[in-house]
Amino acid sequence: MTATAFSMDTINLNYLTDEEGKKTGVLIPIEDWEEIKKMIEYSLLKDSLLQAFQEMNEMRKGLKPRLSLNDVINEL
């Protein structure tokens, strides 16, 4: 992979197949895997933050009970 923007279309996939030619797995270069992991981690963090902000807005509007500091710590 080059230093340009990562794209799923540019991954060099190598498929594993069984005796009948059916695809059973895939191998990808480690550099591509590292980029995919970053994308997944970013997406999970983004989703988590979005959910937290939505919950905060619900608390502000009185639609959801406010959490104490102890409640927040216990959720971690």
Side-chain angles (χ1 to χ4, degrees), residues 54-71:
Q54 288 172 341
E55 288 179 10
M56 284 178 38
N57 282 331
E58 290 174 0
M59 287 178 202
R60 277 193 206 137
K61 293 177 182 177
L63 302 173
K64 189 171 190 169
R66 293 180 183 253
L67 298 176
S68 70
L69 180 57
N70 284 335
D71 292 335

Side-chain angles (χ1 to χ4, degrees), residues 11-17 25-29:
I11 297 175
N12 182 21
L13 299 177
N14 293 292
Y15 293 99
L16 303 175
T17 57
V26 66
L27 295 172
I28 61 171

Side-chain angles (χ1 to χ4, degrees), residues 8-51:
M8 296 296 283
D9 296 330
T10 62
I11 297 175
N12 182 21
L13 299 177
N14 293 292
Y15 293 99
L16 303 175
T17 57
D18 62 15
E19 308 80 38
E20 299 168 357
K22 179 181 174 187
K23 291 179 185 176
T24 60
V26 66
L27 295 172
I28 61 171
I30 192 67
E31 296 85 11
D32 291 341
W33 172 243
E34 294 299 330
E35 288 298 319
I36 291 169
K37 279 183 17 180
K38 287 180 193 175
M39 290 171 56
I40 292 169
E41 290 167 355
Y42 172 79
S43 180
L44 292 172
L45 176 61
K46 182 179 169 184
D47 291 345
S48 179
L49 289 172
L50 179 61
Q51 180 181 358

